Amino acid sequence: MPKNKNVKELLDKHQIQYEMDSSENNYKLKICLFCGSSNSKLEVHATKGCFKCWVCDESGSFSKLQSKIRSQEHAGNTENLTEDPSKANKVVDLTKTALRLHSELKGNLDGEQFYRIRGINQDSIDYFKLGIEKRGSERWTSIPHFKDGVAVNIKYRSLPPLEKKWRQEKGTQKTLFNNDALKNSNEIILTEGEIKTIALHQVGIKNAVGLTGGVSNIPQTWIDQLREKERVILCLDSDQPGQDAALEIAKRVGVGKCFNIVLPDAKDPDEYFFDRRHTKSDFLKLMKAAKQFDLHQCFSGLQRAINILVEKISFLWDSRIPISKITMLDGNPGVGKSHLALAIVAAISRGEHPWPPVLDFEIDSHEVIVFCGEDGAADTIVPRLKMLKANLDHVHIYSKPIVFDEKGLIEIESMVAAQKPALLLFDPMTSFIGGRVDIHRANEVRERLSAVARIAEKHSCSVLIVRHLNKGGSKDHAIYRGLGSIDLLP
């Protein structure tokens, strides 16, 4: 893993321009060495030993970046290493290719029929430079993607008798279709795909752009472009997948500026205009009536307090061990934490509440699962349970190593679902957090314990975790002396 100074030495040696982020540890290159983007989107993470460009999605190890610089040197491009010459040539070639394929469409009956069947007229064909490519006996329509008047990618679709499929140029810049429309309006219409955008443009609605890939893979740079607009109208497919995608995009772009159009009698814009014969005026009325996304619909975890039904907390041990939640049992070594925990286990195994006052409900389950990470089951736990008069038939002891990771949590929940215990005991905590988790880092601890809490809530069982105190001075308040982050507290 390279140290910070190694990155700096490399960039300075080759006169590569960069900025530092606020942490003073990561480097943002002014120009991407892979795609030539000049908006500081290639970031080198010095401590992690990796890099990523948020425009072309190129990423990899520090050694890969070094190899890229060396290859450019061998190619004779040593002055500032501002861009990859092969990429620059590729952009020029794509523009020429797009124009050539467009010219080849004229007089090609199969290609013209493909566009004509879909309702696309000659003006749209000429404006978007739609074309056709021949590869032996194969024929592919071509739809170039332009940015600042230059073709940065070309997408192809097969014509019969080939099986219907898409392909695109490799190693090129991905962009929103009709990207240049972003410059001309603060109100943008977002569609799914090129043909749908062309349909809007053909009826006179020029401020539409199209997604050119799966909704789940929208690059952050596209989201940033949309965020700059005052109003974004989403006109995605009217079926459920399309509307689910619209919600996800609205969450990323900003619920406050996103509005939704659900076409009343068509799945998408090309069907709306070309098959249903609607007009620009019809669509403008839909735009005017477009509804803003509802914040609570976009974020299912967000509720108005007035709609939340108040629930009473139930306890296994009054005011100490709540049902469906995690309880942390802290104490210095030798004070009897494990003994107390087993006394609680013994009481529940007999169908009793641990200590008075006796609560006004009976314990439904007498089952307990004990996960022992320190004491032996045969020489310590079972002898103590016998001494405490536990009903051993209701106590299940898991003595193999297990941690709160994906595999371990699946196994734990499987046991809970099958046995339906009233209580899970983990003793001690450090045996189950996992060696790769820093218990002093709140974000790492919270992720693991939140998963355990979800199991407790889902299956209505209590979780008791035994934790040691740290070696801090006796003046520290006990709540701050628990080993690890304070986020370990329930």
Side-chain angles (χ1 to χ4, degrees), residues 256-310:
K257 65 174 58 183
C258 288
F259 295 79
N260 195 32
I261 288 179
V262 181
L263 298 173
D265 58 351
K267 180 182 178 181
D268 47 38
D270 48 326
E271 181 181 343
Y272 182 76
F273 291 115
F274 299 150
D275 295 342
R276 306 301 180 197
R277 302 296 179 183
H278 287 288
T279 64
K280 175 183 177 180
S281 177
D282 295 332
F283 191 82
L284 290 177
K285 290 177 182 177
L286 293 178
M287 286 179 61
K288 188 175 181 180
K291 294 183 178 179
Q292 191 173 16
F293 282 83
D294 179 75
L295 186 66
H296 297 85
Q297 185 182 11
C298 288
F299 300 95
S300 59
L302 185 66
Q303 301 179 64
R304 298 185 188 278
I306 196 171
N307 296 328
I308 299 176
L309 297 177
V310 176

Side-chain angles (χ1 to χ4, degrees), residues 116-130:
R116 192 163 49 247
I117 288 174
R118 282 153 183 78
I120 300 173
N121 62 25
Q122 190 62 46
D123 288 342
S124 295
I125 290 173
D126 291 339
Y127 181 86
F128 290 101
K129 300 296 183 286
L130 307 181

Side-chain angles (χ1 to χ4, degrees), residues 14 54 140 153 196 205 231 258 261 265 326 428 464 485 490:
H14 298 284
W54 298 97
W140 297 74
N153 191 15
K196 300 170 173 101
I205 299 172
R231 181 178 165 99
C258 288
I261 288 179
D265 58 351
I326 295 177
L464 181 62
S485 167

Side-chain angles (χ1 to χ4, degrees), residues 190-354:
L190 183 68
T191 72
E192 287 186 74
E194 297 88 350
I195 301 298
K196 300 170 173 101
T197 304
I198 293 172
L200 283 162
H201 192 278
Q202 185 165 301
V203 299
I205 299 172
K206 312 294 186 181
N207 57 330
V209 296
L211 299 172
T212 55
V215 171
S216 60
N217 298 318
I218 299 176
Q220 186 59 41
T221 50
W222 298 4
I223 298 297
D224 292 341
Q225 288 178 312
L226 295 171
R227 282 178 176 171
E228 294 175 358
K229 303 304 172 184
E230 294 178 2
R231 181 178 165 99
V232 178
I233 299 176
L234 303 183
C235 186
L236 275 56
D237 289 356
S238 58
D239 57 15
Q240 194 58 50
Q243 293 307 297
D244 290 343
L247 284 175
E248 290 303 312
I249 294 172
K251 286 162 62 175
R252 292 183 64 186
V253 174
V255 176
K257 65 174 58 183
C258 288
F259 295 79
N260 195 32
I261 288 179
V262 181
L263 298 173
D265 58 351
K267 180 182 178 181
D268 47 38
D270 48 326
E271 181 181 343
Y272 182 76
F273 291 115
F274 299 150
D275 295 342
R276 306 301 180 197
R277 302 296 179 183
H278 287 288
T279 64
K280 175 183 177 180
S281 177
D282 295 332
F283 191 82
L284 290 177
K285 290 177 182 177
L286 293 178
M287 286 179 61
K288 188 175 181 180
K291 294 183 178 179
Q292 191 173 16
F293 282 83
D294 179 75
L295 186 66
H296 297 85
Q297 185 182 11
C298 288
F299 300 95
S300 59
L302 185 66
Q303 301 179 64
R304 298 185 188 278
I306 196 171
N307 296 328
I308 299 176
L309 297 177
V310 176
E311 297 178 354
K312 182 181 178 181
I313 297 178
S314 300
F315 292 87
L316 282 178
W317 182 4
D318 191 31
S319 302
R320 291 173 177 82
I321 302 181
I323 297 172
S324 300
K325 299 185 184 297
I326 295 177
T327 300
M328 204 70 67
L329 175 58
D330 291 352
N332 284 318
V335 299
K337 298 185 301 298
S338 296
H339 192 86
L340 172 59
L342 290 178
I344 295 169
V345 170
I348 293 171
S349 73
R350 299 192 300 268
E352 303 170 1
H353 295 290

Side-chain angles (χ1 to χ4, degrees), residues 366-396:
H366 301 173
E367 307 299 316
V368 182
I369 302 178
V370 176
F371 295 86
C372 50
E374 198 170 66
D375 294 326
D379 59 14
T380 303
I381 295 177
V382 172
R384 285 182 179 178
L385 287 172
K386 285 185 175 181
M387 181 185 67
L388 293 163
K389 296 182 171 47
N391 185 333
L392 299 181
D393 192 44
H394 293 306
V395 181
H396 311 268

Side-chain angles (χ1 to χ4, degrees), residues 34 50-53 56-61 64:
F34 295 86
C50 62
F51 73 89
K52 180 177 178 65
C53 174
C56 64
D57 288 331
E58 191 74 42
S59 61
S61 65
K64 179 179 178 181

